[in-house]
Amino acid sequence: MARNVTVDILRMLFAFVIVFHHVLMGTQFHIYGYLAVDFFFIVSGYMVINSYRRYRNEGNEIGVIRYCAHKLMSFLPYLIFAVVVYAIVSGSIAYDNTGRFDRFLASAWFEMEDVFLVSMLGFYRDELIWYLSSLMICSAIIWFLLRRFDSNFSRYAAPIITVLLLIIIFAESNTISTPNHFVYGVVKKGLLRGLACMCLGVFAYECVGFSERIQFSKDRLVLGIIEIVCYLTVLVCILFLHPTDDVGRRVYDIMMIVLLFVALVITFSNRSIVYDFVQKYEWLGKRSVELAVGSLLLYLNHAYIIAAWNQWGPDNIILEAFVVVILAIIMSFLCYHAGKWIRKGIEYAVKEAVPSQS
């Protein structure tokens, strides 16, 4: 299956939404950018079942461990570079404040713990890495359920699980944000949120197959308009509409997720004028992978840069937004190229460690 360029463009767009959400957090310009993360979870759920069906159709049903290892390698090299760079910066800040080298090592190691991807299990830090750790855990769960139940899970269980988990989340709190909050003191909400939205992405895969069988006059125009309206509504609401009462926030979050789901079903089906428009520009297709990886790198690097700015930068929100965005883009570019070399090194080390069975 060819890459969906529209999704990759949207990944970058929503990555910038997350950047400004964190930059503006706690200010009068604060936006509800946390909902952009649910876009990434829904897309990831769709990608999991798409990969599963592709492997199955090829007669190569791989296990959970092998799939997770493949998933991990898609971002671990880039994560390693980003974490190492910020670990050095964080250690330097600690040394500058104390003049003690042991504080440099302690602070640097604290940042290096991000590489272990286990924050949703309650270990190490609970900040930036919650999304990636939740993604890996939920991917493993969904892959196992697909191998065990296949279409029964994707068609029936996935939407039911989504609804049940969202009910649990909203029963415990007023919004799907605050990922490190413990639900009933048992499990972190970020993990349930990830599983709910990824199950919705799995169900979106089935809806795409169903929608492709429906034909009507000017369907590409109609679906394209619906697709554009859904995405624009989500973006406008994230930027400008912020309900304050508990009921309003629950309805708001649900509506944004539903709109993202409807829009993504149309986007993945490639049956709209948006798809036709994007296909006209071949250079976008050639940059599809860079857009997809770049969105993740932007997410990684901006959070580290914000953390450094909070310790060293002046109290100027306009300047902070400008500097964070520019530095995040530069770091993402460096991270992308460095990550490719790190990946080659990891693959070479694995190849040398595991002898060929020829």
Side-chain angles (χ1 to χ4, degrees), residues 199-218:
C199 283
L200 195 59
V202 170
F203 183 58
Y205 182 93
E206 296 291 345
C207 291
V208 167
F210 176 75
S211 68
E212 290 173 345
R213 296 193 292 270
I214 301 176
Q215 304 289 334
F216 55 92
S217 177
K218 298 183 179 180

Side-chain angles (χ1 to χ4, degrees), residues 12 28 36 65 79 95 122 135 177 180 195 300 305 318 320:
M12 185 58 70
Q28 60 178 327
I65 294 177
L79 174 64
Y95 181 79
L135 174 65
S177 62
N180 301 311
L195 187 57
L300 288 175
I305 293 169
I318 304 299
E320 178 182 358

Side-chain angles (χ1 to χ4, degrees), residues 341-356:
W341 284 102
I342 294 173
R343 181 167 186 166
K344 289 181 180 179
I346 295 174
E347 291 174 345
Y348 177 79
V350 172
K351 183 178 179 180
E352 291 296 311
V354 180
S356 175

Side-chain angles (χ1 to χ4, degrees), residues 15-235:
F16 275 105
V17 170
I18 293 172
V19 170
F20 285 105
H21 166 74
H22 287 139
V23 171
L24 300 175
M25 185 178 293
T27 72
Q28 60 178 327
F29 308 108
H30 183 50
I31 62 176
Y32 277 15
Y34 63 84
L35 287 159
V37 176
D38 297 281
F39 165 85
F40 287 96
F41 275 130
I42 296 173
V43 170
S44 296
Y46 183 94
M47 293 304 180
V48 170
I49 185 172
N50 181 66
S51 297
Y52 172 78
R53 292 286 168 81
R54 186 178 71 252
Y55 283 122
R56 188 195 63 180
N57 293 337
E58 294 172 352
N60 184 23
E61 295 192 35
I62 66 176
V64 174
I65 294 177
R66 184 179 169 189
Y67 172 75
C68 288
H70 173 76
K71 186 81 173 176
L72 185 64
M73 282 300 296
S74 68
F75 62 80
L76 182 60
Y78 312 107
L79 174 64
I80 290 174
F81 179 80
V83 169
V84 168
V85 170
Y86 184 62
I88 295 173
V89 173
S90 179
S92 300
I93 293 173
Y95 181 79
D96 183 55
N97 292 336
T98 63
R100 295 170 51 186
F101 187 70
D102 63 316
R103 297 307 304 165
F104 171 90
L105 294 177
S107 181
W109 175 249
F110 179 75
E111 304 304 331
M112 287 293 293
E113 290 169 348
D114 274 353
V115 175
F116 294 103
L117 298 175
V118 288
S119 69
M120 286 292 98
L121 295 177
F123 304 113
Y124 304 130
R125 56 191 290 141
D126 304 353
E127 298 170 4
L128 164 72
I129 212 63
W130 80 267
Y131 165 71
L132 291 177
S133 59
S134 178
L135 174 65
M136 288 301 300
I137 295 170
C138 295
S139 295
I141 293 172
I142 290 174
W143 193 268
F144 170 79
L145 292 173
L146 285 170
R147 280 175 55 86
R148 182 69 177 83
F149 303 106
D150 202 348
S151 59
N152 286 329
F153 168 71
S154 59
R155 294 177 184 175
Y156 311 113
I160 293 174
I161 290 174
T162 297
V163 172
L164 290 177
L165 289 181
L166 289 177
I167 290 174
I168 291 173
I169 290 171
F170 287 124
E172 175 69 10
S173 57
N174 303 323
T175 175
I176 61 173
S177 62
T178 60
N180 301 311
H181 170 74
F182 278 88
V183 179
Y184 304 120
V186 177
V187 64
K188 287 184 178 177
K189 191 166 66 172
L191 185 57
L192 297 184
R193 173 185 176 184
L195 187 57
C197 289
M198 287 183 70
C199 283
L200 195 59
V202 170
F203 183 58
Y205 182 93
E206 296 291 345
C207 291
V208 167
F210 176 75
S211 68
E212 290 173 345
R213 296 193 292 270
I214 301 176
Q215 304 289 334
F216 55 92
S217 177
K218 298 183 179 180
D219 56 348
R220 305 187 78 82
L221 175 61
V222 174
L223 292 175
I225 293 174
I226 295 173
E227 179 185 19
I228 293 171
V229 168
C230 284
Y231 285 128
L232 285 179
T233 302
V234 170
L235 289 173

